[in-house]
Amino acid sequence: MGDEARVFRAPKGTNEILPPRSWRWVELTRLALDTFSRAGYAPIETPIFEHTEVFARGVGEASEVVTKQMYTFADKGGRSLTLRPEGTAPTIRAILEHGLHRGALPIKLSYAGPFFRQERPQKGRFRQFFQVGIEAVGSDSALVDAEVIEVGSRFLEAAGARSRLLLNSIGHPDLNCRDGYIVTLREYLTARRDALAEEDRDRVDGNPLRTFDSKEEKTIGVMRDAPVITEHLCDACRKHFDDVQALLRELGIEFTLEPRLVRGLDYYTRTAFEYIAEGLGAQNAVGGGGRYDGLSEALGGPPLPAIGFALGLDRIALASGNADEAAPLDCYVVAMGERAATEALRLTTELRRAGLGADLDLVQRSLKGQMKDAARSGARWAVILGDQEIERGEATLKQLHSGEQESVALADVLERVRQ
Ligand code: HAM
């Protein structure tokens, strides 16, 4: 194959959303933003790229996302920029930059868009992926934890992605629980360093919490009997965690306590949670989140306790099947003859202006071809126009699922379809 003949391919690990799958995709995005706005979360759009510092300081210099997965580049002015690997640090950066925290608290924001991490691609794991998420910033009340978790659960249910909720508290580094626990965990791991998988041994001195995330059999074996953070929570973190659980029970939200749940980003404090779906293989987390009470200060702002989540739309689409993959059409207009073609365009436009979904044949196919197209289109009705019928001011209206047909006055088509 010569160079000119080569067809370009999208970069490795990208997930292109083509029709008919894309119909479901926009529907899921709309459903998410709608669910979030009905709970009072206002949309925010932050840039796709940020100063690298935002993530280095926000997500954590030692986190895998920052050390291994970021798309970082120098622009022509020599500034170090990074394609956003996640949305929480940029949201806090925007709040601080624009002083949103000087208004009423908590600030409740929602977002939907592409994110970038240079991970090894596999089923459900992409280098460009799409998240929808919310952040509630400026309150440390357990009420907010419960609200946020409920909104995520409700969206996933509405999206048809059956999932389980895993819940944990990872304490707080500034209160007397996380640091004490890390010492205990490090002692446990140091005594068993040789039993850990080789690639996990460095974590013992660095961030020993990360060893809970290991996919290595040897490490998983060691972690089974490791001390867990929930047995080391200070009184304040314990109370917060108990309150969150009581509120979730009050709302009828089922959850499983998972004391080994640690999250991949370093800003988390206290509540941590993940939504796990069936049938997705290794990449089965359709979403995750938690409190990040110290992130604002890490970015140079005042204390602003906060909590949020992000859900991976690529995975949700995989987990929620192929329902409703068609254009939202009420009507497909079929035309036989020259005059009818013009009338079809006029009628389709009239239907669209009235807010209905309508489409038509644009290449003057045979009647059979157009009827096939009408059936494929997913429309409920076909309106059939012939030159002679138009003379009489009439059209044939066919209900596509039943095959029932009736003759109606052209002027009444809109009203009849709307019914
Ligand atoms: P995260 O757990 O890194 O959290 O990502 C959230 C979700 O995004 C994951 O559960 C997964 O569904 C999806 N996701 C992440 N990476 C990929 C990938 N490479 N391919 C496909 N899907 C992916 C965060 O990003 C936090 N900012 C969430 C948060 C908001 N915490 C507090 N507020």
Side-chain angles (χ1 to χ4, degrees), residues 65 85-89 111 117 119 124-131 133-135 263-265 267-268 274-275 285-292 307-315:
V65 167
E86 63 98 48
T88 309
Y111 50 84
R117 295 182 196 175
E119 297 193 76
R125 189 160 76 188
F126 304 100
R127 290 181 170 176
Q128 174 175 328
F129 54 98
F130 200 96
Q131 285 185 345
I134 63 175
E135 313 289 352
R263 305 261 308 127
L265 312 162
Y267 47 60
Y268 289 110
E274 268 176 12
Y275 302 101
V286 284
R291 273 207 165 269
Y292 47 94
I307 179 165
F309 64 68
L311 310 173
L313 215 69
D314 310 80
R315 291 182 193 175

Short mmCIF file of all heavy atoms in Angstrom, two decimals, residues 65 85-89 111 117 119 124-131 133-135 263-265 267-268 274-275 285-292 307-315, ligand 1:
data_model
loop_
_atom_site.label_atom_id
_atom_site.label_comp_id
_atom_site.label_asym_id
_atom_site.label_seq_id
_atom_site.Cartn_x
_atom_site.Cartn_y
_atom_site.Cartn_z
N VAL A 65 -1.00 8.62 38.73
CA VAL A 65 -1.55 9.48 37.67
C VAL A 65 -0.52 10.56 37.30
O VAL A 65 -0.26 10.81 36.13
CB VAL A 65 -2.89 10.12 38.12
CG1 VAL A 65 -3.31 11.24 37.19
CG2 VAL A 65 -3.98 9.06 38.21
N PRO A 85 -6.02 15.06 33.56
CA PRO A 85 -6.27 13.64 33.81
C PRO A 85 -7.50 13.43 34.68
O PRO A 85 -7.97 12.31 34.83
CB PRO A 85 -5.01 13.18 34.55
CG PRO A 85 -4.52 14.40 35.25
CD PRO A 85 -4.93 15.60 34.42
N GLU A 86 -8.00 14.50 35.28
CA GLU A 86 -9.17 14.41 36.16
C GLU A 86 -9.72 15.82 36.35
O GLU A 86 -9.07 16.80 35.96
CB GLU A 86 -8.78 13.75 37.49
CG GLU A 86 -7.78 14.53 38.32
CD GLU A 86 -8.47 15.34 39.40
OE1 GLU A 86 -9.32 14.78 40.08
OE2 GLU A 86 -8.15 16.54 39.52
N GLY A 87 -10.91 15.91 36.97
CA GLY A 87 -11.59 17.21 36.99
C GLY A 87 -11.67 17.90 38.34
O GLY A 87 -12.14 19.03 38.42
N THR A 88 -11.20 17.25 39.41
CA THR A 88 -11.40 17.83 40.74
C THR A 88 -10.42 18.97 41.01
O THR A 88 -10.83 20.06 41.44
CB THR A 88 -11.27 16.73 41.81
OG1 THR A 88 -12.12 15.65 41.44
CG2 THR A 88 -11.68 17.24 43.18
N ALA A 89 -9.13 18.73 40.73
CA ALA A 89 -8.15 19.79 40.96
C ALA A 89 -8.46 21.03 40.09
O ALA A 89 -8.43 22.16 40.61
CB ALA A 89 -6.73 19.26 40.71
N TYR A 111 -19.82 18.62 35.87
CA TYR A 111 -19.09 18.71 34.61
C TYR A 111 -19.23 17.43 33.81
O TYR A 111 -19.57 16.37 34.34
CB TYR A 111 -17.60 19.01 34.84
CG TYR A 111 -16.92 18.10 35.85
CD1 TYR A 111 -16.41 16.86 35.48
CD2 TYR A 111 -16.80 18.49 37.19
CE1 TYR A 111 -15.79 16.02 36.41
CE2 TYR A 111 -16.19 17.67 38.12
CZ TYR A 111 -15.69 16.44 37.73
OH TYR A 111 -15.09 15.62 38.65
N ARG A 117 -5.36 10.11 30.21
CA ARG A 117 -4.33 9.44 31.01
C ARG A 117 -3.63 8.43 30.11
O ARG A 117 -4.30 7.64 29.44
CB ARG A 117 -4.94 8.68 32.21
CG ARG A 117 -5.59 9.59 33.22
CD ARG A 117 -6.15 8.80 34.41
NE ARG A 117 -7.08 9.65 35.15
CZ ARG A 117 -7.82 9.26 36.18
NH1 ARG A 117 -7.72 8.01 36.61
NH2 ARG A 117 -8.64 10.08 36.80
N GLU A 119 -2.52 5.42 30.02
CA GLU A 119 -2.53 4.10 30.65
C GLU A 119 -2.43 3.04 29.57
O GLU A 119 -2.65 3.32 28.40
CB GLU A 119 -3.83 3.90 31.42
CG GLU A 119 -4.02 4.88 32.56
CD GLU A 119 -5.15 4.44 33.48
OE1 GLU A 119 -4.92 3.51 34.26
OE2 GLU A 119 -6.25 5.03 33.40
N GLY A 124 -12.50 -1.10 28.54
CA GLY A 124 -12.95 -0.14 29.55
C GLY A 124 -11.87 0.81 30.04
O GLY A 124 -12.10 1.60 30.93
N ARG A 125 -10.65 0.70 29.48
CA ARG A 125 -9.60 1.64 29.89
C ARG A 125 -9.02 2.31 28.66
O ARG A 125 -8.47 1.64 27.78
CB ARG A 125 -8.52 0.94 30.68
CG ARG A 125 -7.54 1.95 31.29
CD ARG A 125 -6.78 1.37 32.44
NE ARG A 125 -5.74 0.48 31.95
CZ ARG A 125 -5.01 -0.29 32.73
NH1 ARG A 125 -5.21 -0.30 34.02
NH2 ARG A 125 -4.08 -1.04 32.21
N PHE A 126 -9.16 3.61 28.60
CA PHE A 126 -8.76 4.37 27.42
C PHE A 126 -7.80 5.49 27.79
O PHE A 126 -7.66 5.82 28.97
CB PHE A 126 -10.00 4.96 26.74
CG PHE A 126 -11.02 3.91 26.40
CD1 PHE A 126 -12.13 3.70 27.21
CD2 PHE A 126 -10.85 3.09 25.29
CE1 PHE A 126 -13.07 2.71 26.91
CE2 PHE A 126 -11.76 2.10 24.98
CZ PHE A 126 -12.87 1.91 25.80
N ARG A 127 -7.15 6.04 26.78
CA ARG A 127 -6.24 7.16 27.03
C ARG A 127 -6.98 8.48 26.96
O ARG A 127 -6.58 9.45 27.60
CB ARG A 127 -5.09 7.10 26.04
CG ARG A 127 -4.20 5.90 26.36
CD ARG A 127 -3.03 5.75 25.46
NE ARG A 127 -2.14 4.74 26.02
CZ ARG A 127 -1.05 4.31 25.44
NH1 ARG A 127 -0.69 4.80 24.25
NH2 ARG A 127 -0.29 3.41 26.03
N GLN A 128 -8.02 8.52 26.17
CA GLN A 128 -8.97 9.62 26.28
C GLN A 128 -10.29 8.98 26.68
O GLN A 128 -10.79 8.10 25.99
CB GLN A 128 -9.14 10.37 24.95
CG GLN A 128 -10.25 11.42 25.08
CD GLN A 128 -10.43 12.29 23.85
OE1 GLN A 128 -9.47 12.59 23.15
NE2 GLN A 128 -11.65 12.71 23.60
N PHE A 129 -10.82 9.40 27.81
CA PHE A 129 -12.08 8.85 28.29
C PHE A 129 -12.96 10.01 28.72
O PHE A 129 -12.52 11.16 28.78
CB PHE A 129 -11.86 7.86 29.45
CG PHE A 129 -11.06 8.44 30.58
CD1 PHE A 129 -11.69 8.94 31.71
CD2 PHE A 129 -9.68 8.50 30.52
CE1 PHE A 129 -10.96 9.49 32.76
CE2 PHE A 129 -8.93 9.06 31.56
CZ PHE A 129 -9.58 9.55 32.68
N PHE A 130 -14.23 9.71 28.98
CA PHE A 130 -15.20 10.77 29.22
C PHE A 130 -15.78 10.60 30.62
O PHE A 130 -16.23 9.53 30.96
CB PHE A 130 -16.29 10.66 28.16
CG PHE A 130 -17.09 11.91 27.96
CD1 PHE A 130 -16.76 12.80 26.94
CD2 PHE A 130 -18.20 12.20 28.75
CE1 PHE A 130 -17.51 13.96 26.73
CE2 PHE A 130 -18.96 13.34 28.55
CZ PHE A 130 -18.62 14.23 27.53
N GLN A 131 -15.69 11.66 31.41
CA GLN A 131 -16.27 11.60 32.76
C GLN A 131 -17.43 12.58 32.90
O GLN A 131 -17.41 13.66 32.32
CB GLN A 131 -15.23 12.00 33.81
CG GLN A 131 -14.18 10.97 34.12
CD GLN A 131 -13.27 11.41 35.26
OE1 GLN A 131 -13.24 12.59 35.64
NE2 GLN A 131 -12.51 10.47 35.81
N GLY A 133 -19.30 14.32 36.35
CA GLY A 133 -19.03 14.35 37.78
C GLY A 133 -19.63 15.55 38.46
O GLY A 133 -20.11 16.49 37.81
N ILE A 134 -19.64 15.49 39.80
CA ILE A 134 -20.08 16.64 40.59
C ILE A 134 -19.10 16.88 41.73
O ILE A 134 -18.40 15.96 42.17
CB ILE A 134 -21.51 16.46 41.18
CG1 ILE A 134 -21.59 15.28 42.16
CG2 ILE A 134 -22.54 16.29 40.08
CD1 ILE A 134 -22.96 15.17 42.85
N GLU A 135 -19.05 18.12 42.18
CA GLU A 135 -18.22 18.48 43.33
C GLU A 135 -19.05 19.41 44.21
O GLU A 135 -19.68 20.34 43.71
CB GLU A 135 -16.94 19.22 42.90
CG GLU A 135 -16.16 18.61 41.73
CD GLU A 135 -15.43 17.29 42.05
OE1 GLU A 135 -15.39 16.91 43.24
OE2 GLU A 135 -14.91 16.67 41.11
N ARG A 263 -8.13 5.04 47.23
CA ARG A 263 -8.33 5.62 45.92
C ARG A 263 -6.99 6.00 45.32
O ARG A 263 -6.02 6.20 46.01
CB ARG A 263 -9.28 6.80 46.02
CG ARG A 263 -10.61 6.44 46.68
CD ARG A 263 -11.71 6.18 45.72
NE ARG A 263 -11.85 7.27 44.79
CZ ARG A 263 -11.86 7.12 43.47
NH1 ARG A 263 -11.73 5.94 42.93
NH2 ARG A 263 -12.00 8.16 42.69
N GLY A 264 -6.94 6.08 43.98
CA GLY A 264 -5.67 6.29 43.29
C GLY A 264 -5.11 7.70 43.35
O GLY A 264 -3.98 7.93 42.94
N LEU A 265 -5.89 8.66 43.81
CA LEU A 265 -5.43 10.04 43.82
C LEU A 265 -5.17 10.43 45.27
O LEU A 265 -5.87 9.99 46.17
CB LEU A 265 -6.51 10.95 43.19
CG LEU A 265 -7.05 10.40 41.85
CD1 LEU A 265 -8.37 11.05 41.47
CD2 LEU A 265 -6.03 10.58 40.75
N TYR A 267 -5.43 13.17 47.07
CA TYR A 267 -6.09 14.23 47.85
C TYR A 267 -7.19 13.75 48.79
O TYR A 267 -7.75 14.52 49.55
CB TYR A 267 -6.65 15.33 46.93
CG TYR A 267 -7.46 14.90 45.72
CD1 TYR A 267 -8.63 14.17 45.82
CD2 TYR A 267 -7.04 15.28 44.44
CE1 TYR A 267 -9.37 13.83 44.71
CE2 TYR A 267 -7.77 14.94 43.32
CZ TYR A 267 -8.94 14.22 43.45
OH TYR A 267 -9.66 13.88 42.34
N TYR A 268 -7.50 12.46 48.78
CA TYR A 268 -8.66 12.01 49.54
C TYR A 268 -8.47 12.04 51.05
O TYR A 268 -7.39 11.78 51.57
CB TYR A 268 -9.10 10.62 49.09
CG TYR A 268 -9.72 10.64 47.72
CD1 TYR A 268 -9.08 10.07 46.63
CD2 TYR A 268 -10.95 11.26 47.51
CE1 TYR A 268 -9.64 10.11 45.37
CE2 TYR A 268 -11.52 11.31 46.25
CZ TYR A 268 -10.87 10.74 45.18
OH TYR A 268 -11.42 10.79 43.94
N GLU A 274 -16.64 3.82 45.73
CA GLU A 274 -16.60 3.44 44.32
C GLU A 274 -17.89 2.73 43.94
O GLU A 274 -18.48 2.03 44.76
CB GLU A 274 -15.39 2.52 44.04
CG GLU A 274 -14.19 3.32 43.60
CD GLU A 274 -12.91 2.55 43.38
OE1 GLU A 274 -12.94 1.29 43.34
OE2 GLU A 274 -11.88 3.21 43.25
N TYR A 275 -18.30 2.92 42.69
CA TYR A 275 -19.43 2.19 42.13
C TYR A 275 -18.86 1.11 41.21
O TYR A 275 -18.11 1.42 40.28
CB TYR A 275 -20.33 3.12 41.31
CG TYR A 275 -20.89 4.30 42.06
CD1 TYR A 275 -20.33 5.57 41.93
CD2 TYR A 275 -22.00 4.16 42.89
CE1 TYR A 275 -20.85 6.67 42.60
CE2 TYR A 275 -22.53 5.25 43.57
CZ TYR A 275 -21.95 6.50 43.42
OH TYR A 275 -22.48 7.59 44.08
N ALA A 285 -14.79 -0.45 37.77
CA ALA A 285 -15.24 0.73 38.52
C ALA A 285 -15.88 1.70 37.53
O ALA A 285 -15.20 2.27 36.68
CB ALA A 285 -14.07 1.39 39.23
N VAL A 286 -17.20 1.86 37.62
CA VAL A 286 -17.85 2.83 36.73
C VAL A 286 -17.76 4.23 37.30
O VAL A 286 -18.07 5.20 36.62
CB VAL A 286 -19.33 2.48 36.42
CG1 VAL A 286 -19.43 1.34 35.42
CG2 VAL A 286 -20.11 2.15 37.68
N GLY A 287 -17.33 4.34 38.55
CA GLY A 287 -17.18 5.67 39.10
C GLY A 287 -16.55 5.61 40.48
O GLY A 287 -16.49 4.55 41.10
N GLY A 288 -16.06 6.75 40.91
CA GLY A 288 -15.47 6.79 42.23
C GLY A 288 -15.37 8.21 42.71
O GLY A 288 -15.44 9.17 41.93
N GLY A 289 -15.22 8.35 44.02
CA GLY A 289 -15.09 9.70 44.56
C GLY A 289 -14.78 9.65 46.03
O GLY A 289 -14.45 8.60 46.58
N GLY A 290 -14.93 10.80 46.65
CA GLY A 290 -14.67 10.86 48.07
C GLY A 290 -14.47 12.30 48.52
O GLY A 290 -14.55 13.24 47.71
N ARG A 291 -14.19 12.44 49.82
CA ARG A 291 -13.87 13.75 50.38
C ARG A 291 -12.44 14.12 50.06
O ARG A 291 -11.57 13.26 49.95
CB ARG A 291 -14.01 13.71 51.90
CG ARG A 291 -15.34 13.98 52.36
CD ARG A 291 -15.44 14.57 53.77
NE ARG A 291 -16.79 15.07 53.82
CZ ARG A 291 -17.15 16.31 53.49
NH1 ARG A 291 -16.24 17.22 53.18
NH2 ARG A 291 -18.40 16.66 53.49
N TYR A 292 -12.23 15.41 49.91
CA TYR A 292 -10.86 15.90 49.71
C TYR A 292 -10.75 17.22 50.46
O TYR A 292 -10.64 18.29 49.89
CB TYR A 292 -10.54 16.02 48.22
CG TYR A 292 -11.59 16.70 47.38
CD1 TYR A 292 -11.52 18.07 47.11
CD2 TYR A 292 -12.68 16.00 46.87
CE1 TYR A 292 -12.49 18.71 46.36
CE2 TYR A 292 -13.65 16.63 46.11
CZ TYR A 292 -13.55 17.98 45.87
OH TYR A 292 -14.52 18.61 45.13
N ILE A 307 -16.42 17.30 48.75
CA ILE A 307 -16.59 15.92 48.33
C ILE A 307 -17.19 15.89 46.93
O ILE A 307 -17.91 16.82 46.54
CB ILE A 307 -17.47 15.12 49.32
CG1 ILE A 307 -17.66 13.66 48.86
CG2 ILE A 307 -18.83 15.77 49.56
CD1 ILE A 307 -18.19 12.72 49.92
N GLY A 308 -16.88 14.85 46.17
CA GLY A 308 -17.44 14.73 44.82
C GLY A 308 -17.19 13.36 44.27
O GLY A 308 -16.64 12.48 44.94
N PHE A 309 -17.61 13.17 43.04
CA PHE A 309 -17.31 11.91 42.33
C PHE A 309 -17.17 12.18 40.86
O PHE A 309 -17.57 13.25 40.36
CB PHE A 309 -18.41 10.86 42.55
CG PHE A 309 -19.76 11.24 41.97
CD1 PHE A 309 -19.98 11.33 40.59
CD2 PHE A 309 -20.83 11.49 42.82
CE1 PHE A 309 -21.23 11.67 40.08
CE2 PHE A 309 -22.09 11.84 42.31
CZ PHE A 309 -22.28 11.94 40.94
N ALA A 310 -16.58 11.23 40.14
CA ALA A 310 -16.61 11.24 38.68
C ALA A 310 -16.98 9.83 38.24
O ALA A 310 -16.56 8.84 38.84
CB ALA A 310 -15.26 11.64 38.12
N LEU A 311 -17.79 9.78 37.19
CA LEU A 311 -18.23 8.50 36.63
C LEU A 311 -17.69 8.39 35.22
O LEU A 311 -17.67 9.37 34.47
CB LEU A 311 -19.75 8.43 36.62
CG LEU A 311 -20.46 8.80 37.93
CD1 LEU A 311 -21.96 8.86 37.74
CD2 LEU A 311 -20.11 7.79 39.02
N GLY A 312 -17.22 7.20 34.87
CA GLY A 312 -16.65 7.01 33.54
C GLY A 312 -17.72 6.62 32.53
O GLY A 312 -18.28 5.53 32.59
N LEU A 313 -18.01 7.54 31.61
CA LEU A 313 -19.11 7.29 30.68
C LEU A 313 -18.81 6.14 29.72
O LEU A 313 -19.72 5.41 29.32
CB LEU A 313 -19.43 8.56 29.89
CG LEU A 313 -20.92 8.69 29.59
CD1 LEU A 313 -21.72 8.95 30.85
CD2 LEU A 313 -21.18 9.79 28.58
N ASP A 314 -17.53 5.97 29.36
CA ASP A 314 -17.17 4.86 28.45
C ASP A 314 -17.58 3.53 29.09
O ASP A 314 -18.11 2.64 28.42
CB ASP A 314 -15.66 4.87 28.18
CG ASP A 314 -15.16 6.24 27.77
OD1 ASP A 314 -14.96 7.10 28.66
OD2 ASP A 314 -14.98 6.47 26.56
N ARG A 315 -17.29 3.42 30.39
CA ARG A 315 -17.62 2.17 31.10
C ARG A 315 -19.12 2.04 31.34
O ARG A 315 -19.67 0.94 31.26
CB ARG A 315 -16.88 2.11 32.43
CG ARG A 315 -15.39 1.95 32.22
CD ARG A 315 -14.64 1.85 33.53
NE ARG A 315 -13.22 2.01 33.27
CZ ARG A 315 -12.29 2.07 34.20
NH1 ARG A 315 -12.64 1.97 35.47
NH2 ARG A 315 -11.02 2.21 33.87
P1 HAM B 1 -11.02 8.22 39.26
O1 HAM B 1 -11.39 7.06 40.13
O2 HAM B 1 -9.62 8.34 38.86
O3 HAM B 1 -11.49 9.50 40.07
O4 HAM B 1 -11.92 8.20 37.98
C1 HAM B 1 -13.33 8.13 38.07
C2 HAM B 1 -13.89 7.19 37.03
O5 HAM B 1 -13.45 7.58 35.73
C3 HAM B 1 -13.40 5.74 37.15
O6 HAM B 1 -14.16 5.04 38.09
C4 HAM B 1 -13.62 5.23 35.74
O7 HAM B 1 -14.98 4.87 35.55
C5 HAM B 1 -13.30 6.45 34.89
N1 HAM B 1 -11.93 6.34 34.38
C6 HAM B 1 -10.78 6.71 34.99
N2 HAM B 1 -9.71 6.44 34.20
C7 HAM B 1 -10.21 5.88 33.07
C8 HAM B 1 -9.63 5.36 31.85
N3 HAM B 1 -8.33 5.40 31.64
N4 HAM B 1 -10.46 4.86 30.90
C9 HAM B 1 -11.81 4.83 31.10
N5 HAM B 1 -12.40 5.30 32.22
C10 HAM B 1 -11.63 5.82 33.19
C11 HAM B 1 -11.35 10.78 39.62
O8 HAM B 1 -11.05 11.09 38.49
C12 HAM B 1 -11.72 11.82 40.65
N6 HAM B 1 -11.48 13.17 40.08
C13 HAM B 1 -13.16 11.64 41.09
C14 HAM B 1 -13.58 12.63 42.12
C15 HAM B 1 -14.32 13.72 41.96
N7 HAM B 1 -13.22 12.58 43.40
C16 HAM B 1 -13.74 13.62 44.02
N8 HAM B 1 -14.40 14.33 43.15
#
